[in-house]
Amino acid sequence: MNNKLIPGMLIGAAVGAAVAMLDRNTRSSVKTQVSNVNELRKNPSTAKDKFASIKDEIMYWKDQIEEIRRNNPELEKAILETKDMLTKK
């Protein structure tokens, strides 16, 4: 008995992709995404810069949250109580 699940899934995915490509907006979106990937492949330093800026932004917000937690323990307690109350419902 041959297993036809995987080949059937691959054929279905290919047919689904082909049908989706009939839509003009989908084709435009795919074209844009492919060109963005090609740009990043040609110039990887821009991707590193983007990731570094995202990392810096995340670290900034992490520090801000930690500062709020240190300076306002009552606020943290109120937030945790509210979270517990909402999750019990």
Side-chain angles (χ1 to χ4, degrees), residues 26-67:
T26 303
R27 287 194 309 269
S28 173
S29 175
V30 169
K31 187 185 291 186
T32 302
Q33 290 175 359
V34 168
S35 68
N36 288 343
V37 168
N38 286 337
E39 261 183 57
L40 289 177
R41 256 191 19 221
K42 291 177 185 175
N43 194 0
S45 65
T46 59
K48 290 178 184 177
D49 293 342
K50 286 181 184 179
F51 285 122
S53 80
I54 291 171
K55 179 185 171 195
D56 292 342
E57 186 75 21
I58 290 171
M59 294 305 293
Y60 168 77
W61 285 108
K62 178 183 174 273
D63 292 342
Q64 293 299 313
I65 292 169
E66 287 298 320
E67 184 177 339

